[in-house]
Amino acid sequence: MDWEQTITDKIDRNRNAKGFPVAEDFGTTDDDVKDYIYDKQRILDREEEREKSLTIPGIILVMPVIIISGFGEGVNLLLLGVVLGVILMLLYFVLMKSLDKNKLKKIYDSDIEDYIAAVTKYKEE
């Protein structure tokens, strides 16, 4: 069960419970909250998928070795290719992480985040 399911299930189960936070009290609507949670979960899922699937980083790591091997042979060229591959792979991870952070910043809504925090803190009976 991911973060999106946890929050939406808690909202659905406790919607009519006494003392449960109401989205309108936080200046938002249930539909806006569900859309926000869905969008945020998609961004979090992309980040998780990149960590599991190492196809692109693997290709980025190997390509400099293959390209540099066309210019000659030797341990020094091989090491240069590996070092360049590692640097490019690290740049890929940093770039993807920063893109995800920017997307999270763009969709950030303090009212909805406050509502989600209140829902999370609510103790079910």
Side-chain angles (χ1 to χ4, degrees), residues 72-90:
E73 293 182 21
V75 175
N76 290 340
L77 286 177
L78 175 66
L79 290 176
L80 176 64
V82 170
V83 168
L84 287 174
V86 169
I87 291 170
L88 289 174
M89 188 178 65
L90 291 174

Side-chain angles (χ1 to χ4, degrees), residues 48-107:
E48 186 177 307
E49 287 172 19
R50 267 196 301 277
E51 290 174 5
K52 289 180 182 177
S53 174
L54 297 176
T55 304
I56 294 174
I59 291 170
I60 291 172
L61 179 66
V62 172
M63 286 309 293
V65 175
I66 293 171
I67 292 169
I68 289 178
S69 69
F71 294 103
E73 293 182 21
V75 175
N76 290 340
L77 286 177
L78 175 66
L79 290 176
L80 176 64
V82 170
V83 168
L84 287 174
V86 169
I87 291 170
L88 289 174
M89 188 178 65
L90 291 174
L91 285 173
Y92 167 78
F93 282 120
V94 168
L95 178 66
M96 293 297 111
K97 186 100 172 153
S98 67
L99 287 174
D100 287 343
K101 279 187 176 183
N102 284 339
K103 287 179 183 180
L104 286 172
K105 282 182 185 178
K106 282 182 182 179
I107 69 166

